[in-house]
Amino acid sequence: MSETYVECLVKTESSVAGKLARIVLVMLTVVFGLLTFMGVILAFLVAVAAGVGAYFVYLNTDIEYEYLYVDKQLTVDKIKAKSKRKKIATYEIERMEILAPIHSYHLDNYRKRTGKESDYSIKKEEKPDKRYLMFYNGNQKVILSPSEELVKAIRSVAPRKVFFD
């Protein structure tokens, strides 16, 4: 039995608010750290709190998703700040209803469905938009940013469910 193995790493776009919060907290850490050297005791506590806040904001704004396709199974992992990895979801290709580009006409019959939506994509619309939408198990909508190789691997298993247009 031949197994297909495809791996794809996608970096999400940080929000403007996340970037701004990171910059402000780092600046506060530096300013209050310098005030600590001038003898202000309370500045040390504020510098430590701002430093810890900057770390957690960085951890939650520097996010990558890894798609791993192995033998009719798609696994999505979330990587925070290139250091912490967490398995988020596993999708069986047999239970997938459709996988098509996010603005494809093939998705017209599925657009009004309600259910859980999961976004594991780059989080922004590019020109041309390379994000894909997958309807899974009747009640779940999954947004992905797969590579062309990953889409071809899934199409080799489910050719009537995967579209490129």
Side-chain angles (χ1 to χ4, degrees), residues 1-6 68-75 90-96 136 153-154 156-158:
M1 185 171 134
S2 68
E3 286 189 3
T4 304
Y5 175 85
V6 179
L68 183 63
Y69 175 75
V70 179
D71 197 33
K72 299 181 184 179
Q73 191 173 32
L74 179 67
T75 305
T90 301
Y91 301 103
E92 299 292 332
I93 300 304
E94 290 90 24
R95 298 172 73 189
M96 175 183 76
Y136 183 77
I154 295 172
S156 70
V157 174

Side-chain angles (χ1 to χ4, degrees), residues 135-152:
F135 282 90
Y136 183 77
N137 204 22
N139 62 352
Q140 191 171 5
K141 186 187 328 185
V142 181
I143 303 171
L144 303 167
S145 296
S147 65
E148 189 175 325
E149 182 183 6
L150 180 63
V151 177
K152 285 180 181 177

Side-chain angles (χ1 to χ4, degrees), residues 100-108 111 125 129 131 133 165:
I102 201 161
H103 297 297
S104 173
Y105 69 91
H106 293 288
L107 296 170
D108 289 345
R111 297 238 187 250
E125 187 172 334
D129 200 355
R131 295 177 298 160
L133 189 58
D165 61 74

Side-chain angles (χ1 to χ4, degrees), residues 1-155:
M1 185 171 134
S2 68
E3 286 189 3
T4 304
Y5 175 85
V6 179
E7 180 177 315
C8 179
L9 190 66
V10 175
K11 180 156 179 61
T12 63
E13 183 71 25
S14 298
S15 67
V16 175
K19 289 178 184 178
L20 185 64
R22 197 175 355 172
I23 291 170
V24 168
L25 287 170
V26 168
M27 289 174 49
L28 284 175
T29 303
V30 170
V31 168
F32 283 102
L34 292 174
L35 285 175
T36 301
F37 290 120
M38 298 174 84
V40 181
I41 305 292
L42 184 61
F44 175 73
L45 296 174
V46 175
V48 169
V52 169
Y55 171 74
F56 283 111
V57 167
Y58 171 70
L59 194 65
N60 290 314
T61 56
D62 186 25
I63 295 175
E64 296 176 329
Y65 291 106
E66 181 184 54
Y67 312 135
L68 183 63
Y69 175 75
V70 179
D71 197 33
K72 299 181 184 179
Q73 191 173 32
L74 179 67
T75 305
V76 179
D77 292 346
K78 184 177 187 178
I79 304 168
K80 289 184 173 184
K82 295 181 177 75
S83 61
K84 293 185 177 186
R85 175 185 296 265
K86 181 179 181 184
K87 183 176 179 181
I88 294 187
T90 301
Y91 301 103
E92 299 292 332
I93 300 304
E94 290 90 24
R95 298 172 73 189
M96 175 183 76
E97 294 180 41
I98 189 170
L99 176 69
I102 201 161
H103 297 297
S104 173
Y105 69 91
H106 293 288
L107 296 170
D108 289 345
N109 295 334
Y110 297 90
R111 297 238 187 250
K112 293 185 180 178
R113 282 194 185 177
T114 58
K116 183 180 176 189
E117 181 176 317
S118 304
D119 190 357
Y120 308 126
S121 68
I122 58 174
K123 309 273 194 251
K124 71 173 186 175
E125 187 172 334
E126 296 179 331
K127 300 288 181 199
D129 200 355
K130 296 181 181 178
R131 295 177 298 160
Y132 276 71
L133 189 58
M134 176 174 76
F135 282 90
Y136 183 77
N137 204 22
N139 62 352
Q140 191 171 5
K141 186 187 328 185
V142 181
I143 303 171
L144 303 167
S145 296
S147 65
E148 189 175 325
E149 182 183 6
L150 180 63
V151 177
K152 285 180 181 177
I154 295 172
R155 187 172 187 169

